[in-house]
Amino acid sequence: MPPAYRASLTREPFLFREMRVTAREVLAGADDAAVIERISSQNLYQYPTERSLRGMARACLRRLHLLGDAGAVRLIAEAPAALSRQLCLYALMKDNRLVAEFLVQVVGENTVSTIKASRAPTSTPSSCACRSRATRSRPGARRPSKSSRASS
């Protein structure tokens, strides 16, 4: 079943740094309550205020749990940034239906059509010339100057 539509994308954006910090805490073996408490008490996200720390920690934990794979959590915590970002995007897709539908329907369809277009044959038959014989310029014929075109 796809995730429900939620309006949390504005208050819980991509959260890459926060996901990495939370994944490291989860790998340390703490349960969810301990992870939230440690993030909040030590301000591991380095937010200027403590107001949103717990909510962001819960959002990150929810996304990590949606991955359902300890290996993916380890990759988010320890892998190079490019791979870790891809997994965070996948976790965001699993958490937010709007993001999932956008990436599949809009980005995916545009990517598929671009790939199909790039694989299309590039040679055109000789009967499909860009200009017909009647509209081709004669060899040696001069094109009108810009000033004569502007006055017409």
CSV table of all heavy atoms in Angstrom, one decimal, residues 79-102:
chain,number,residue,atom,x,y,z
A,79,ALA,N,28.4,5.4,3.8
A,79,ALA,CA,28.8,5.4,2.4
A,79,ALA,C,29.1,6.9,1.9
A,79,ALA,O,28.8,7.8,2.6
A,79,ALA,CB,27.6,4.9,1.6
A,80,PRO,N,29.7,7.0,0.7
A,80,PRO,CA,30.0,8.3,0.2
A,80,PRO,C,28.6,9.1,0.0
A,80,PRO,O,27.6,8.5,-0.1
A,80,PRO,CB,30.6,8.0,-1.2
A,80,PRO,CG,31.2,6.6,-1.1
A,80,PRO,CD,30.3,5.9,-0.1
A,81,ALA,N,28.8,10.4,0.0
A,81,ALA,CA,27.6,11.2,0.0
A,81,ALA,C,26.6,10.9,-1.2
A,81,ALA,O,25.4,11.0,-1.0
A,81,ALA,CB,28.0,12.7,0.0
A,82,ALA,N,27.1,10.6,-2.4
A,82,ALA,CA,26.2,10.4,-3.5
A,82,ALA,C,25.3,9.2,-3.3
A,82,ALA,O,24.1,9.3,-3.5
A,82,ALA,CB,27.1,10.2,-4.8
A,83,LEU,N,25.9,8.1,-2.8
A,83,LEU,CA,25.1,6.9,-2.6
A,83,LEU,C,24.1,7.2,-1.4
A,83,LEU,O,23.0,6.8,-1.4
A,83,LEU,CB,26.0,5.7,-2.3
A,83,LEU,CG,25.3,4.4,-2.0
A,83,LEU,CD1,24.4,4.0,-3.1
A,83,LEU,CD2,26.3,3.4,-1.7
A,84,SER,N,24.6,7.8,-0.4
A,84,SER,CA,23.8,8.1,0.8
A,84,SER,C,22.6,9.0,0.4
A,84,SER,O,21.5,8.8,0.9
A,84,SER,CB,24.7,8.7,1.9
A,84,SER,OG,24.0,8.9,3.0
A,85,ARG,N,22.8,9.9,-0.4
A,85,ARG,CA,21.8,10.8,-0.8
A,85,ARG,C,20.7,10.1,-1.6
A,85,ARG,O,19.5,10.3,-1.5
A,85,ARG,CB,22.3,12.0,-1.7
A,85,ARG,CG,22.9,13.1,-0.9
A,85,ARG,CD,23.3,14.3,-1.7
A,85,ARG,NE,23.8,15.3,-0.8
A,85,ARG,CZ,25.1,15.6,-0.7
A,85,ARG,NH1,26.0,15.0,-1.5
A,85,ARG,NH2,25.5,16.6,0.1
A,86,GLN,N,21.1,9.1,-2.5
A,86,GLN,CA,20.2,8.3,-3.2
A,86,GLN,C,19.3,7.5,-2.3
A,86,GLN,O,18.1,7.4,-2.4
A,86,GLN,CB,20.9,7.4,-4.2
A,86,GLN,CG,21.5,8.1,-5.3
A,86,GLN,CD,22.3,7.2,-6.2
A,86,GLN,OE1,22.2,6.0,-6.1
A,86,GLN,NE2,23.0,7.8,-7.2
A,87,LEU,N,19.9,6.9,-1.2
A,87,LEU,CA,19.1,6.2,-0.3
A,87,LEU,C,18.2,7.1,0.5
A,87,LEU,O,17.1,6.7,0.8
A,87,LEU,CB,20.0,5.4,0.7
A,87,LEU,CG,20.6,4.1,0.0
A,87,LEU,CD1,21.8,3.6,0.9
A,87,LEU,CD2,19.6,3.1,-0.2
A,88,CYS,N,18.6,8.3,0.9
A,88,CYS,CA,17.8,9.2,1.6
A,88,CYS,C,16.6,9.6,0.7
A,88,CYS,O,15.5,9.8,1.2
A,88,CYS,CB,18.6,10.4,2.0
A,88,CYS,SG,19.7,10.1,3.4
A,89,LEU,N,16.8,9.8,-0.6
A,89,LEU,CA,15.7,10.1,-1.5
A,89,LEU,C,14.7,9.0,-1.6
A,89,LEU,O,13.5,9.2,-1.6
A,89,LEU,CB,16.3,10.4,-2.9
A,89,LEU,CG,15.2,10.8,-3.9
A,89,LEU,CD1,14.5,12.1,-3.5
A,89,LEU,CD2,15.9,11.1,-5.3
A,90,TYR,N,15.3,7.7,-1.6
A,90,TYR,CA,14.4,6.6,-1.6
A,90,TYR,C,13.6,6.5,-0.3
A,90,TYR,O,12.4,6.2,-0.4
A,90,TYR,CB,15.2,5.3,-1.8
A,90,TYR,CG,14.4,4.0,-1.8
A,90,TYR,CD1,13.5,3.7,-2.8
A,90,TYR,CD2,14.5,3.1,-0.8
A,90,TYR,CE1,12.7,2.6,-2.8
A,90,TYR,CE2,13.8,1.9,-0.7
A,90,TYR,CZ,12.9,1.7,-1.7
A,90,TYR,OH,12.1,0.5,-1.7
A,91,ALA,N,14.2,6.8,0.8
A,91,ALA,CA,13.5,6.8,2.1
A,91,ALA,C,12.4,7.9,2.1
A,91,ALA,O,11.3,7.6,2.6
A,91,ALA,CB,14.4,7.0,3.2
A,92,LEU,N,12.7,9.0,1.5
A,92,LEU,CA,11.7,10.1,1.4
A,92,LEU,C,10.5,9.7,0.5
A,92,LEU,O,9.4,10.0,0.8
A,92,LEU,CB,12.4,11.4,0.9
A,92,LEU,CG,11.5,12.6,0.7
A,92,LEU,CD1,10.8,13.0,2.0
A,92,LEU,CD2,12.3,13.7,0.1
A,93,MET,N,10.8,8.9,-0.6
A,93,MET,CA,9.8,8.4,-1.5
A,93,MET,C,8.9,7.5,-0.7
A,93,MET,O,7.7,7.5,-0.9
A,93,MET,CB,10.4,7.7,-2.7
A,93,MET,CG,10.9,8.6,-3.7
A,93,MET,SD,11.7,7.7,-5.1
A,93,MET,CE,10.3,6.8,-5.7
A,94,LYS,N,9.5,6.6,0.1
A,94,LYS,CA,8.7,5.7,0.9
A,94,LYS,C,7.8,6.3,1.9
A,94,LYS,O,6.8,5.8,2.3
A,94,LYS,CB,9.6,4.6,1.5
A,94,LYS,CG,10.2,3.7,0.4
A,94,LYS,CD,10.8,2.4,0.9
A,94,LYS,CE,9.9,1.6,1.6
A,94,LYS,NZ,9.5,0.3,1.0
A,95,ASP,N,8.3,7.5,2.4
A,95,ASP,CA,7.6,8.2,3.4
A,95,ASP,C,6.5,9.2,2.9
A,95,ASP,O,5.5,9.5,3.6
A,95,ASP,CB,8.6,9.0,4.3
A,95,ASP,CG,8.0,9.7,5.5
A,95,ASP,OD1,7.2,9.0,6.2
A,95,ASP,OD2,8.4,10.8,5.8
A,96,ASN,N,6.7,9.7,1.7
A,96,ASN,CA,5.8,10.7,1.2
A,96,ASN,C,5.3,10.4,-0.2
A,96,ASN,O,6.1,10.3,-1.1
A,96,ASN,CB,6.6,12.1,1.1
A,96,ASN,CG,5.7,13.2,0.9
A,96,ASN,OD1,5.0,13.3,-0.1
A,96,ASN,ND2,5.8,14.2,1.8
A,97,ARG,N,4.0,10.1,-0.3
A,97,ARG,CA,3.4,9.7,-1.5
A,97,ARG,C,3.5,10.7,-2.6
A,97,ARG,O,3.7,10.4,-3.8
A,97,ARG,CB,1.9,9.4,-1.2
A,97,ARG,CG,1.2,8.8,-2.4
A,97,ARG,CD,-0.2,8.4,-2.0
A,97,ARG,NE,-0.9,7.8,-3.1
A,97,ARG,CZ,-2.1,7.4,-3.0
A,97,ARG,NH1,-2.8,7.4,-1.9
A,97,ARG,NH2,-2.7,6.9,-4.1
A,98,LEU,N,3.4,12.0,-2.3
A,98,LEU,CA,3.5,13.0,-3.3
A,98,LEU,C,4.9,13.0,-4.0
A,98,LEU,O,5.0,13.1,-5.2
A,98,LEU,CB,3.3,14.4,-2.7
A,98,LEU,CG,3.3,15.6,-3.7
A,98,LEU,CD1,2.2,15.5,-4.6
A,98,LEU,CD2,3.2,16.9,-2.9
A,99,VAL,N,6.0,12.9,-3.2
A,99,VAL,CA,7.3,12.8,-3.7
A,99,VAL,C,7.5,11.5,-4.6
A,99,VAL,O,8.0,11.6,-5.7
A,99,VAL,CB,8.4,12.8,-2.6
A,99,VAL,CG1,9.8,12.5,-3.1
A,99,VAL,CG2,8.3,14.1,-1.9
A,100,ALA,N,6.9,10.4,-4.1
A,100,ALA,CA,7.0,9.2,-4.9
A,100,ALA,C,6.3,9.3,-6.2
A,100,ALA,O,6.9,8.9,-7.3
A,100,ALA,CB,6.4,8.0,-4.1
A,101,GLU,N,5.1,9.8,-6.2
A,101,GLU,CA,4.4,9.9,-7.5
A,101,GLU,C,5.1,10.9,-8.4
A,101,GLU,O,5.1,10.7,-9.6
A,101,GLU,CB,2.9,10.4,-7.2
A,101,GLU,CG,2.1,9.2,-6.6
A,101,GLU,CD,0.7,9.6,-6.3
A,101,GLU,OE1,0.3,10.8,-6.5
A,101,GLU,OE2,-0.1,8.8,-5.9
A,102,PHE,N,5.6,12.0,-7.9
A,102,PHE,CA,6.3,13.0,-8.7
A,102,PHE,C,7.5,12.3,-9.4
A,102,PHE,O,7.7,12.4,-10.6
A,102,PHE,CB,6.7,14.2,-7.9
A,102,PHE,CG,7.6,15.1,-8.7
A,102,PHE,CD1,7.0,16.0,-9.7
A,102,PHE,CD2,9.0,15.2,-8.5
A,102,PHE,CE1,7.8,16.8,-10.4
A,102,PHE,CE2,9.8,16.0,-9.3
A,102,PHE,CZ,9.2,16.9,-10.2
